[in-house]
Coordinates of all heavy atoms in Angstrom, one line a residue:
S195 N -136.1 -19.6 92.4 CA -136.2 -19.1 91.0 C -136.3 -17.6 91.0 O -136.8 -17.0 91.9 CB -137.4 -19.7 90.4 OG -138.6 -19.4 91.0
R196 N -135.7 -17.0 90.0 CA -135.7 -15.6 89.8 C -135.8 -15.3 88.3 O -135.4 -16.0 87.5 CB -134.3 -15.0 90.3 CG -134.2 -15.1 91.8 CD -132.8 -14.5 92.2 NE -131.6 -15.2 91.8 CZ -131.2 -16.3 92.4 NH1 -131.9 -16.9 93.4 NH2 -130.1 -16.9 91.9
C197 N -136.4 -14.1 88.0 CA -136.5 -13.7 86.7 C -136.2 -12.2 86.6 O -136.4 -11.5 87.6 CB -137.8 -14.0 86.0 SG -139.2 -13.1 86.8
N198 N -135.6 -11.7 85.5 CA -135.2 -10.3 85.4 C -135.7 -9.7 84.1 O -135.2 -8.7 83.7 CB -133.7 -10.2 85.5 CG -133.2 -10.6 86.9 OD1 -133.7 -10.1 87.9 ND2 -132.3 -11.6 86.9
S199 N -136.6 -10.3 83.4 CA -137.0 -9.8 82.1 C -138.3 -9.0 82.2 O -139.2 -9.5 82.9 CB -137.1 -10.9 81.1 OG -137.6 -10.4 79.9
I200 N -138.4 -7.9 81.5 CA -139.7 -7.2 81.5 C -140.8 -7.9 80.6 O -141.9 -7.6 80.6 CB -139.5 -5.8 80.9 CG1 -139.0 -5.8 79.5 CG2 -138.7 -5.0 81.9 CD1 -139.0 -4.4 78.9
T201 N -140.4 -9.0 79.9 CA -141.3 -9.8 79.1 C -141.9 -11.0 79.9 O -142.8 -11.6 79.4 CB -140.6 -10.3 77.8 OG1 -139.6 -11.2 78.2 CG2 -140.1 -9.2 77.0
V202 N -141.5 -11.2 81.1 CA -142.0 -12.4 81.9 C -143.3 -12.0 82.5 O -143.5 -10.9 83.0 CB -141.0 -12.7 83.0 CG1 -141.5 -13.7 83.9 CG2 -139.7 -13.2 82.4
S203 N -144.3 -13.0 82.4 CA -145.6 -12.7 82.9 C -145.9 -13.5 84.2 O -146.8 -13.2 85.0 CB -146.7 -13.0 81.9 OG -146.6 -14.3 81.5
A204 N -145.2 -14.7 84.4 CA -145.4 -15.5 85.6 C -144.2 -16.3 86.0 O -143.5 -16.7 85.1 CB -146.6 -16.4 85.4
L205 N -144.0 -16.5 87.2 CA -143.0 -17.3 87.8 C -143.6 -18.1 88.9 O -144.1 -17.5 89.9 CB -141.8 -16.4 88.3 CG -140.6 -17.0 88.9 CD1 -139.9 -18.0 87.9 CD2 -139.6 -16.0 89.4
E206 N -143.5 -19.4 88.8 CA -144.3 -20.2 89.8 C -143.5 -21.5 90.1 O -142.8 -22.1 89.3 CB -145.6 -20.6 89.2 CG -146.5 -21.4 90.1 CD -147.9 -21.6 89.5 OE1 -148.4 -20.7 88.8 OE2 -148.5 -22.7 89.7
I207 N -143.6 -21.9 91.4 CA -143.0 -23.2 91.8 C -144.2 -24.0 92.5 O -144.9 -23.5 93.4 CB -141.9 -23.1 92.9 CG1 -140.7 -22.4 92.3 CG2 -141.5 -24.4 93.4 CD1 -139.6 -22.1 93.4
Q208 N -144.4 -25.2 92.1 CA -145.4 -26.1 92.7 C -144.7 -27.3 93.2 O -143.9 -27.9 92.5 CB -146.5 -26.5 91.7 CG -147.4 -25.4 91.3 CD -148.5 -26.0 90.5 OE1 -148.6 -27.1 90.1 NE2 -149.4 -25.1 90.1
V209 N -144.9 -27.7 94.5 CA -144.3 -28.8 95.1 C -145.4 -30.0 95.2 O -146.5 -29.7 95.3 CB -143.8 -28.5 96.5 CG1 -143.1 -29.7 97.2 CG2 -142.8 -27.3 96.4
D210 N -144.9 -31.2 95.1 CA -145.9 -32.3 94.9 C -146.9 -32.5 96.0 O -147.9 -33.2 95.9 CB -145.2 -33.6 94.5 CG -144.4 -34.2 95.7 OD1 -144.3 -33.6 96.7 OD2 -143.8 -35.3 95.4
N211 N -146.6 -31.9 97.2 CA -147.6 -32.0 98.3 C -148.7 -30.9 98.2 O -149.5 -30.7 99.1 CB -146.9 -31.9 99.6 CG -146.2 -30.6 99.9 OD1 -146.3 -29.7 99.1 ND2 -145.5 -30.5 101.0
G212 N -148.7 -30.1 97.1 CA -149.7 -29.1 96.9 C -149.2 -27.7 97.3 O -149.9 -26.7 97.0
Q213 N -148.1 -27.6 97.9 CA -147.5 -26.3 98.3 C -147.2 -25.5 97.0 O -146.8 -26.1 96.0 CB -146.3 -26.5 99.1 CG -145.5 -25.3 99.4 CD -144.2 -25.6 100.1 OE1 -143.9 -26.7 100.4 NE2 -143.4 -24.6 100.4
M214 N -147.5 -24.3 97.0 CA -147.2 -23.5 95.8 C -146.6 -22.1 96.2 O -147.0 -21.5 97.2 CB -148.5 -23.2 95.1 CG -148.3 -22.5 93.8 SD -149.8 -22.4 92.7 CE -150.9 -21.4 93.8
A215 N -145.6 -21.7 95.5 CA -145.1 -20.3 95.6 C -145.3 -19.7 94.3 O -145.0 -20.2 93.2 CB -143.6 -20.4 96.0
L216 N -145.8 -18.4 94.3 CA -146.1 -17.8 93.1 C -145.6 -16.3 93.1 O -145.8 -15.6 94.1 CB -147.6 -17.8 92.8 CG -148.2 -16.9 91.7 CD1 -147.8 -17.5 90.4 CD2 -149.7 -16.9 91.8
A217 N -145.0 -15.9 92.0 CA -144.7 -14.5 91.8 C -145.3 -14.1 90.5 O -144.9 -14.6 89.5 CB -143.2 -14.3 91.8
S218 N -146.2 -13.2 90.6 CA -146.8 -12.6 89.3 C -146.0 -11.4 89.0 O -146.0 -10.4 89.7 CB -148.3 -12.4 89.5 OG -148.8 -11.9 88.4
V219 N -145.4 -11.4 87.8 CA -144.6 -10.3 87.4 C -145.3 -9.2 86.6 O -144.9 -8.1 86.5 CB -143.4 -10.8 86.6 CG1 -142.4 -9.7 86.2 CG2 -142.7 -11.9 87.3
L220 N -146.5 -9.5 86.1 CA -147.4 -8.6 85.5 C -146.8 -7.8 84.3 O -146.9 -6.6 84.2 CB -147.9 -7.5 86.5 CG -148.7 -8.1 87.7 CD1 -149.0 -7.1 88.7 CD2 -149.9 -8.9 87.3
N221 N -146.2 -8.6 83.4 CA -145.8 -8.1 82.1 C -145.1 -6.8 82.1 O -145.5 -5.8 81.5 CB -147.0 -8.0 81.1 CG -147.5 -9.4 80.7 OD1 -146.7 -10.3 80.6 ND2 -148.8 -9.5 80.6
G222 N -143.9 -6.7 82.8 CA -143.1 -5.5 82.7 C -143.4 -4.5 83.7 O -142.7 -3.4 83.7
N223 N -144.3 -4.7 84.7 CA -144.6 -3.7 85.7 C -143.6 -3.8 86.8 O -143.7 -3.0 87.8 CB -146.0 -3.9 86.2 CG -147.0 -3.5 85.2 OD1 -146.8 -2.6 84.3 ND2 -148.2 -4.0 85.2
T224 N -142.6 -4.7 86.7 CA -141.6 -4.7 87.7 C -140.3 -5.2 87.0 O -140.3 -5.8 86.0 CB -142.0 -5.7 88.9 OG1 -140.9 -5.7 89.8 CG2 -142.1 -7.1 88.3
A225 N -139.2 -4.9 87.7 CA -137.9 -5.2 87.1 C -137.5 -6.7 87.2 O -136.7 -7.2 86.5 CB -136.8 -4.4 87.7
G226 N -138.2 -7.4 88.2 CA -137.9 -8.8 88.4 C -138.6 -9.3 89.6 O -139.2 -8.6 90.3
A227 N -138.5 -10.6 89.8 CA -139.1 -11.3 91.0 C -138.4 -12.5 91.3 O -137.6 -13.1 90.5 CB -140.6 -11.6 90.6
G228 N -138.5 -12.9 92.6 CA -137.8 -14.2 93.0 C -138.6 -14.9 94.1 O -139.3 -14.2 94.9
I229 N -138.6 -16.2 94.1 CA -139.3 -17.0 95.1 C -138.4 -18.2 95.5 O -137.5 -18.6 94.7 CB -140.7 -17.5 94.6 CG1 -140.5 -18.2 93.2 CG2 -141.7 -16.4 94.5 CD1 -141.8 -18.7 92.6
C230 N -138.7 -18.7 96.7 CA -138.0 -20.0 97.1 C -138.9 -20.8 97.9 O -139.9 -20.3 98.5 CB -136.7 -19.6 97.8 SG -136.9 -18.9 99.4
S231 N -138.6 -22.1 98.0 CA -139.5 -23.0 98.8 C -138.6 -24.1 99.3 O -137.7 -24.6 98.6 CB -140.5 -23.6 97.8 OG -141.4 -24.5 98.5
Y232 N -138.8 -24.6 100.5 CA -138.1 -25.7 101.1 C -138.8 -27.0 100.7 O -140.0 -27.1 100.6 CB -138.2 -25.6 102.7 CG -137.4 -26.7 103.4 CD1 -136.1 -26.6 103.5 CD2 -138.1 -27.8 103.8 CE1 -135.3 -27.7 104.1 CE2 -137.4 -28.8 104.5 CZ -136.0 -28.8 104.6 OH -135.3 -29.8 105.2

């Protein structure tokens, strides 16, 4: 998952075994974020 908007505040993937990948974008303090999970 990727996001490119300055209005995004959170980007998160949760997998059913409890694994979690999180990218906190902090409301416009970055141009974008991306995460991946197997």
